[in-house]
């Protein structure tokens, strides 16, 4: 057995109403990639936040190279060679890339920040990550994938010995992902300890040497990955709960038209988007990251302006033109970016879930006054339907695990029960069991007559739920397919290997 460099021993962490970690112990050696996996709320981010100095444990100790260390702040962690690539990036859009990367560690020269040096350092770290943009650029001018690379670059600036990646790939394109994996492998070869958290088990099998599985704050297993199958790992993560990983939608008929979009355009962003959606239909929007999928969704609910185009919605049996600012009455949108658009983080789970649904929660006798009994019973119903892990409905959303925050967003729109749903990466950050649940819920909504637009970067996911597809590239629709399309045809259409419909 290789000698361990990092050891976390007997770690416990309590939060009000929940014990997030119970007596967790693990070791990791230099030159090894350890996969840290577990269902939503299992305690992965909490454990790594303790190692990264963001949280203090209630019990336990940390040893590096055989010596016990005190990690009471992120700066202390950095001084011990620990770097953390966070699950949710919190970046200021108006800040430059350099400032974002250096915010806690500006090098000074004669009392002044040595900008020449830090631009150079940023450029060389970003180059290693395969990014060619200028570090003086503002964060808001680069794509979410590039922002993720900046977050990774920030972690690599000071030659860390222990690097934690908390779900780093969710906003990366395939090419960026491959590049990141090469970088992680080269860090491993240089002798770093890598801890890798992901809900994509194929990534874990592809990249990691060993795994450790957490369930409800406890270690339930682990070891060399070569000793396990995919199913062994899933069983360890979720216990005996049955899941339907290979769920696929049965053929069914769809009803009359529920929404029609004609010539939706915004200069330089999307052009001439036209399609139609029926009642009971799941329409998949497939395309590469940056192809304009999210921009179409945002335009449909009025989050971004349009220059031209019409949106028709079937209101009481007739297709009616609806102003962009009014479509929100009929469309529920589950966004890909829960921090910016989805949730009010300092507010409670209950408030966040009721928010989309206030008129339906008021007392019949007194308008505008929320009926607390009704509100509580609705919230309880959805918390249990979605299996959201909370200590009480008044728990603040910012203290939920990443995956459970996503479930709150979905629960909120289920309560509102709109005619049309737009789901942009609905299962991002969810564990395998929760992903299967969401697929089943989408199917049920369609059977009840809703029209559903789904955007997903996971081809298996989009193929297991969609009845029909539109494929986007460079802001336009380049192809449409029925339910019988193959995986190869979809991929080829999005990358341009098929003839474009022009
Ligand atoms: N500041 C906090 N206050 C209260 N509870 C918290 C706080 N931070 C985390 N928790 C709780 O601790 C538990 C573990 O959360 P954690 O974020 O570690 O899960 P995770 O394994 O990273 O899940 P995911 O895969 O969804 O990201 C959850 O029940 C969460 O609600
Ligand atoms: Mg997490």
């Amino acid at each position: 057995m290789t000698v361990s460099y990092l050891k976390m021993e007997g770690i416990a962490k309590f939060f009000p109403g929940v014990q997030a970690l119970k007596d967790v112990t693990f070791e990791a050696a230099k030159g090894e990639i350890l996969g840290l996996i577990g269902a939503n709320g299992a305690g992965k981010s909490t454990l790594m936040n303790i190692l990264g100095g963001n949280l203090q444990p209630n019990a336990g100790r940390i040893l590096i190279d055989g010596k016990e260390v005190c990690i009471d702040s992120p700066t202390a962690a950095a001084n011990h060679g620990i770097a953390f690539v966070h699950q949710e990036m919190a970046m200021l859009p108006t800040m430059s890339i350099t400032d974002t990367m250096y915010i806690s560690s500006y090098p000074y020269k004669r009392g002044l920040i040595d900008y020449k040096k830090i631009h150079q350092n940023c450029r060389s770290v970003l180059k290693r990550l395969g990014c060619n943009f200028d570090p003086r650029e503002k964060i808001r001018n680069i794509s979410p994938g590039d922002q993720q690379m900046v977050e990774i670059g920030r972690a690599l600036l000071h030659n860390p010995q222990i690097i934690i990646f908390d779900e780093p790939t969710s906003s990366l394109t395939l090419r960026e992902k491959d590049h990141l994996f090469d970088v992680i492998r080269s860090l491993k070869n240089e002798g770093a300890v890598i801890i890798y958290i992901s809900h994509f088990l194929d990534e874990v099998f592809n990249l990691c040497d060993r795994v450790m599985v957490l369930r409800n704050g406890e270690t339930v297993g682990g070891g060399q990955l070569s000793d396990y199958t995919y199913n062994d790992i899933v069983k360890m993560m979720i216990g005996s709960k049955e899941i339907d990983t290979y769920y696929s939608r049965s053929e069914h008929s769809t009803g009359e038209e529920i929404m029609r979009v004609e010539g939706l355009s915004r200069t330089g962003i999307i052009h001439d988007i036209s399609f139609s959606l029926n009642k009971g239909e799941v329409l998949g929007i497939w395309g590469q990251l940056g192809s304009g999928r999210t921009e179409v969704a945002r335009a449909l609910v009025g989050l971004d302006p349009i220059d031209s185009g019409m949106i028709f919605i079937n209101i009481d049996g007739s297709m009616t033109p609806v102003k962009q600012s009014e479509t929100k009455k009929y469309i529920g949108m589950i966004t890909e970016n829960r921090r910016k658009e989805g949730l009010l983080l300092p507010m409670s789970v209950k408030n966040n879930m009721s928010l989309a649904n206030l008129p339906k929660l008021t007392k019949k006798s007194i308008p505008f006054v929320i009926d607390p009994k009704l509100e509580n019973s609705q919230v309880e119903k959805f918390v249990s339907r979605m299996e959201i892990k909370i200590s009480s409905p008044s728990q603040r959303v910012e203290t939920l695990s990443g995956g459970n925050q996503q479930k709150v967003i979905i629960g909120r729109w289920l309560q509102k029960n709109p005619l049309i749903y737009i789901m942009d990466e609905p299962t991002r950050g969810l564990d395998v069991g929760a992903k299967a649940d969401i697929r089943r819920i989408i199917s049920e909504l369609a059977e009840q007559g809703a029209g559903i637009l789904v955007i997903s970067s996971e081809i298996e996911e989009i193929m297991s739920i969609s009845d029909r597809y539109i494929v986007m590239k460079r802001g336009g629709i380049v192809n449409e397919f029925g339910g019988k399309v193959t995986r190869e045809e979809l991929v080829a259409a999005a990358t341009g290997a098929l003839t474009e419909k022009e």
Side-chain angles (χ1 to χ4, degrees), residues 286-409:
W286 171 250
Q288 292 183 307
L289 211 80
S291 59
R293 309 170 310 190
T294 296
E295 288 70 16
V296 167
R298 291 176 55 88
L300 286 174
V301 292
L303 282 171
D304 288 341
I306 49 171
D307 300 327
S308 57
M310 300 273 281
I311 302 164
F312 298 86
I313 292 177
N314 187 334
I315 302 170
D316 301 327
S318 81
M319 292 303 285
T320 315
V322 178
K323 276 199 263 165
Q324 206 202 1
S325 56
E326 302 277 301
T327 56
K328 275 204 254 3
K329 284 190 201 150
Y330 312 98
I331 305 177
M333 165 125 157
I334 292 165
T335 63
E336 78 176 327
N337 190 337
R338 47 187 177 247
R339 292 234 150 204
K340 269 215 309 254
E341 286 148 24
L343 291 171
L344 297 167
L345 293 169
M347 285 172 70
S348 69
V349 171
K350 186 157 97 176
N351 290 149
N352 269 280
M353 290 186 74
S354 311
L355 204 68
N357 200 27
L358 294 177
K360 286 191 192 149
L361 292 173
T362 52
K363 287 188 177 174
K364 289 229 164 44
S365 49
I366 329 170
F368 307 116
V369 175
I370 301 270
D371 180 345
K373 265 204 198 130
L374 187 62
E375 185 184 19
N376 286 340
S377 76
Q378 283 288 336
V379 170
E380 267 166 34
K381 194 168 114 196
F382 283 100
V383 164
S384 81
R385 179 170 178 193
M386 309 279 308
E387 294 184 40
I388 306 177
K389 194 176 167 197
I390 55 171
S391 48
S392 88
S394 53
Q395 187 176 352
R396 279 178 296 126
V397 160
E398 63 196 344
T399 66
L400 295 186
S401 81
N404 283 295
Q405 292 182 7
Q406 181 69 1
K407 293 186 187 180
V408 171
I409 297 185

Side-chain angles (χ1 to χ4, degrees), residues 13-21 37-49 55 87 166-167 197 199 214 217 338 389-391 395-396 398-405 429-431:
K13 179 71 190 172
F14 298 89
F15 291 114
V18 48
Q19 182 166 6
L21 295 170
I37 58 180
N40 295 129
K44 306 175 295 291
S45 296
T46 303
L47 185 64
M48 289 303 112
N49 274 317
L55 288 174
Q87 177 172 20
D166 194 352
E167 293 184 50
I197 301 179
H199 288 295
L214 285 181
R338 47 187 177 247
K389 194 176 167 197
I390 55 171
S391 48
Q395 187 176 352
R396 279 178 296 126
E398 63 196 344
T399 66
L400 295 186
S401 81
N404 283 295
Q405 292 182 7
L430 296 190
D431 65 52

Side-chain angles (χ1 to χ4, degrees), residues 444-498:
E444 283 168 18
L445 292 171
E447 266 146 40
Q448 290 155 18
I452 302 169
L453 276 181
V454 179
I455 301 172
S456 170
S457 300
E458 287 177 68
I459 196 156
E460 277 76 20
E461 174 162 289
I462 205 161
M463 291 194 70
S464 72
I465 45 182
S466 304
D467 301 305
R468 203 157 59 82
Y469 306 84
I470 53 182
V471 181
M472 291 197 61
K473 203 178 131 193
R474 282 188 241 115
I477 296 177
V478 290
N479 253 304
E480 288 190 36
F481 293 106
K484 297 264 185 289
V485 68
T486 64
R487 184 191 160 103
E488 289 68 30
E489 283 171 313
L490 275 180
V491 172
T495 52
L498 280 188

